[in-house]
Amino acid sequence: MIRQNIPLRGHRDDGAIDLESENQNEGNFRELLKYRVDAGDQILHSHLKNAPKNSSLTSKTTQNDLINCCGTIIEKKIVEEVNQSKYFSILVDETTDISSNEQLSLCVRFVDREKCYLYEEFLRFVVVQDLSGEALSKVVLSELWDLGLDIPNLRGQGYDGGANMSGKFRGVQARILKEQPLAYYMHCASHCLNLSLSKSCSVPSVRQTVDTVAEIAKYVRESSKRSIMMKEKISQICPEHKKTKLKTLCETRWIERHDAVLQFLDIFSAVISFLEDFGSYGTKAHLMLNSILKFEFIISLHILAEIFGITLCVSRKLQSPNLELSQCYHMVECVMNKAVTLAQSVDVEVNVPRVASRQIHRNNVASKSPKDYYRLNVFLPFLDHLLSDLSVRFSPARNNFYPNIRELLTILCVMPVTTCTAERSFSTLRRVKTYLRSTMNQDKLNGLVLLNIHRNIDVSPDEVIELFARKHPRRLQLC
């Protein structure tokens, strides 16, 4: 198509596009229309130039309607697939957006019987004011009816462990169970694993090690001068290490916590050199240096790295809570050797803390050697905490109620495992509803989020125009 040099810059107070002015940018939508005209679309050029002011279809209201139509079409296609598959589960989580609105993310999990494929799809955000179990359950049920999903076919609920969501008597899961007794509740496996790891870190030596690593990371990152100094130390002492910024120990994402522990181990010598330089400037750096120059800290750090290494694949895949621990004693030996090597490299003596027989808040199990002491007082208690907590949180669900094997397998597939799909929608929410777009209305937000998340769902122009034409009576007849 021949490109025509048509002046397309400018803005008119009535909302229409001024094809004569070249003064300012009018936003993505209008600039795209101008670009299309500039590329030679004479029909669009004629419409923008000659259409009445109140039917040019370029106002913000029209733009929002088009976005909403696209979102509605995507929702409808997902709901049709869910209803065809019959059984489904819901995944719900909430977060606060940039404008301080509490946004509830509603997602659905279902099986495509023809393709034998499992899907988890985001449906919409809903603004909620009341976060009680009663109010949230009413919102969830209302949204399901509004979407056209058959609640009698609801077979699972997936939430985090918050009391308002998981409470046995007044939580959302309990109230929805009253409406649909077959909607079995599953605590998000990702949250369960995080809680298990978090509880396991209550072992005193491990907890102190985690706190020390977190404190050092915070101390470095809160000052640009210290961040630059740490970067220089890593480059000088650990040149093979690509990342030169200390990772913080995220409270919820344990994959990142594992990475932070491994990174701290890799640059241990650089951290010591950094704290030695800053120790003369203040007491805080000196105290942190003394904390990490203890064998108890070094052995606990290696134990954390080993155990997190086992659970890392579980954190990433979240398909099974089972841990392969047949080489437990080999791991103890391996951890001890690594810790001794690192301690010797930084001139730390391999020893055990003072033991007091009547002290109940310290590790006081009798031992013949440092290896036995740390195996009995740190490694095995940490491992025991983790395994016992995992066995409780990941007990198998009872599915003896369904006589038909095919239906049982379908229902088993749609049972929610994690709420990661709902949490991933929060990332899109932060990208779409930013500081500059904090006043965006909910329909436009849902439309943009659905378009961003479900890029694989085809939305044809004809579908959008047909729905757009039916929404409101307009002066300009579209179909």
Side-chain angles (χ1 to χ4, degrees):
M1 186 175 292
I2 300 175
R3 183 179 177 87
Q4 298 184 356
N5 296 320
I6 304 173
L8 297 173
R9 301 290 181 267
H11 176 73
R12 283 169 33 174
D13 294 335
D14 55 23
I17 296 178
D18 191 342
L19 299 178
E20 305 301 328
S21 174
E22 299 183 358
N23 293 329
Q24 66 183 38
N25 186 301
E26 297 188 63
N28 293 338
F29 178 71
R30 296 187 179 194
E31 291 300 319
L32 285 172
L33 292 179
K34 293 175 182 179
Y35 182 80
R36 183 67 181 264
V37 172
D38 197 28
D41 191 329
Q42 293 298 325
I43 297 176
L44 179 59
H45 178 263
S46 176
H47 167 74
L48 296 177
K49 187 174 182 179
N50 303 317
K53 295 179 181 179
N54 59 352
S55 60
S56 64
L57 303 179
T58 59
S59 67
K60 64 178 181 64
T61 302
T62 299
Q63 296 178 41
N64 291 343
D65 277 349
L66 289 172
I67 293 172
N68 181 250
C69 287
C70 294
T72 301
I73 292 169
I74 292 174
E75 279 184 351
K76 183 179 178 181
K77 290 186 176 183
I78 295 173
V79 170
E80 286 177 353
E81 292 180 0
V82 175
N83 288 335
Q84 286 176 2
S85 70
K86 190 176 180 180
Y87 300 119
F88 68 96
S89 293
I90 54 172
L91 311 172
V92 178
D93 205 349
E94 68 271 349
T95 189
T96 305
D97 66 19
I98 191 66
S99 56
S100 299
N101 290 328
E102 191 71 22
Q103 296 279 0
L104 184 142
S105 176
L106 179 60
C107 305
V108 65
R109 178 182 172 100
F110 63 98
V111 174
D112 187 323
R113 298 190 180 221
E114 293 183 0
K115 298 179 181 178
C116 294
Y117 196 83
L118 183 64
Y119 291 95
E120 285 188 359
E121 303 285 13
F122 167 80
L123 287 173
R124 64 173 55 166
F125 283 119
V126 184
V127 175
V128 291
Q129 276 81 35
D130 188 348
L131 297 182
S132 66
E134 181 181 6
L136 290 177
S137 61
K138 288 179 179 178
V139 169
V140 171
L141 292 172
S142 174
E143 294 299 321
L144 292 178
W145 282 117
D146 183 60
L147 286 162
L149 291 169
D150 297 328
I151 293 180
N153 292 329
L154 178 63
R155 289 296 182 271
Q157 309 174 63
Y159 316 126
D160 59 22
N164 61 335
M165 304 299 292
S166 62
K168 294 182 179 180
F169 303 104
R170 298 184 179 181
V172 173
Q173 65 97 2
R175 295 178 184 277
I176 291 182
L177 273 174
K178 291 180 180 179
E179 299 290 330
Q180 170 51 290
L182 298 178
Y184 190 83
Y185 165 64
M186 297 289 288
H187 188 179
C188 172
S190 180
H191 286 85
C192 283
L193 181 59
N194 289 348
L195 290 171
S196 297
L197 289 168
S198 180
K199 187 174 180 180
S200 301
C201 285
S202 62
V203 176
S205 296
V206 175
R207 183 182 67 247
Q208 292 168 10
T209 299
V210 169
D211 291 343
T212 301
V213 173
E215 187 66 22
I216 293 174
K218 180 181 177 182
Y219 177 75
V220 173
R221 293 170 68 97
E222 68 185 6
S223 166
S224 59
K225 179 182 178 181
R226 292 196 285 265
S227 296
I228 293 172
M229 176 68 77
M230 176 58 77
K231 184 176 181 180
E232 292 174 353
K233 290 292 183 182
I234 295 174
S235 300
Q236 293 170 6
I237 301 174
C238 309
E240 72 285 354
H241 200 276
K242 296 180 180 179
K243 296 182 179 179
T244 57
K245 193 173 183 180
L246 268 182
K247 279 182 173 256
T248 56
L249 273 72
C250 179
E251 292 295 329
T252 55
R253 289 183 57 81
W254 281 79
I255 291 178
E256 293 183 7
R257 180 164 288 207
H258 175 263
D259 292 341
V261 170
L262 286 183
Q263 184 202 32
F264 196 92
L265 262 177
D266 291 341
I267 62 171
F268 189 72
S269 300
V271 173
I272 290 177
S273 179
F274 166 82
L275 292 176
E276 286 176 342
D277 288 351
F278 270 89
S280 58
Y281 294 102
T283 307
K284 191 172 185 179
H286 183 71
L287 291 174
M288 288 188 290
L289 178 63
N290 289 338
S291 297
I292 68 174
L293 287 179
K294 293 180 180 178
F295 188 72
E296 186 176 11
F297 174 87
I298 294 173
I299 188 72
S300 298
L301 193 65
H302 277 87
I303 289 172
L304 275 169
E306 288 293 327
I307 299 299
F308 285 176
I310 297 173
T311 60
L312 183 62
C313 60
V314 184
S315 297
R316 286 176 174 163
K317 296 181 180 179
L318 290 172
Q319 293 178 349
S320 171
N322 298 323
L323 299 178
E324 179 54 56
L325 299 173
S326 59
Q327 299 179 345
C328 178
Y329 287 101
H330 173 72
M331 286 172 49
V332 175
E333 189 73 29
C334 181
V335 166
M336 190 66 186
N337 291 338
K338 289 180 180 178
V340 169
T341 301
L342 181 59
Q344 291 174 346
S345 69
V346 292
D347 297 325
V348 173
E349 182 183 357
V350 178
N351 56 16
V352 299
R354 182 173 60 87
V355 175
S357 58
R358 296 187 180 182
Q359 174 61 261
I360 62 173
H361 299 294
R362 294 173 56 185
N363 300 322
N364 291 300
V365 179
S367 58
K368 297 179 180 179
S369 65
K371 183 175 77 171
D372 289 339
Y373 175 85
Y374 290 108
R375 177 172 62 86
L376 296 173
N377 289 282
V378 182
F379 186 86
L380 293 181
F382 179 52
L383 205 59
D384 182 62
H385 274 72
L386 181 61
L387 291 177
S388 61
D389 205 69
L390 285 174
S391 65
V392 172
R393 295 182 185 277
F394 290 91
S395 58
R398 293 174 297 177
N399 287 290
N400 302 324
F401 311 106
Y402 310 102
N404 187 289
I405 294 179
R406 178 180 174 84
E407 295 301 301
L408 171 62
L409 292 176
T410 302
I411 293 170
L412 187 62
C413 285
V414 302
M415 294 299 287
V417 179
T418 71
T419 57
C420 292
T421 299
E423 292 184 359
R424 277 193 290 269
S425 69
F426 299 153
S427 299
T428 305
L429 174 64
R430 285 190 289 270
R431 288 196 300 269
V432 173
K433 193 170 185 179
T434 62
Y435 172 76
L436 296 176
R437 303 188 186 116
S438 61
T439 59
M440 182 186 302
N441 65 53
Q442 199 68 13
D443 287 340
K444 181 177 181 180
L445 172 65
N446 276 317
L448 290 174
V449 170
L450 285 164
L451 285 167
N452 183 271
I453 293 176
H454 301 294
R455 301 178 209 180
N456 59 318
I457 297 180
D458 182 43
V459 180
S460 68
D462 290 340
E463 290 177 305
V464 177
I465 292 173
E466 182 179 354
L467 181 58
F468 178 76
R470 293 200 308 264
K471 286 194 69 173
H472 308 290
R474 304 176 188 276
R475 289 191 60 190
L476 182 64
Q477 295 298 318
L478 300 177
C479 59

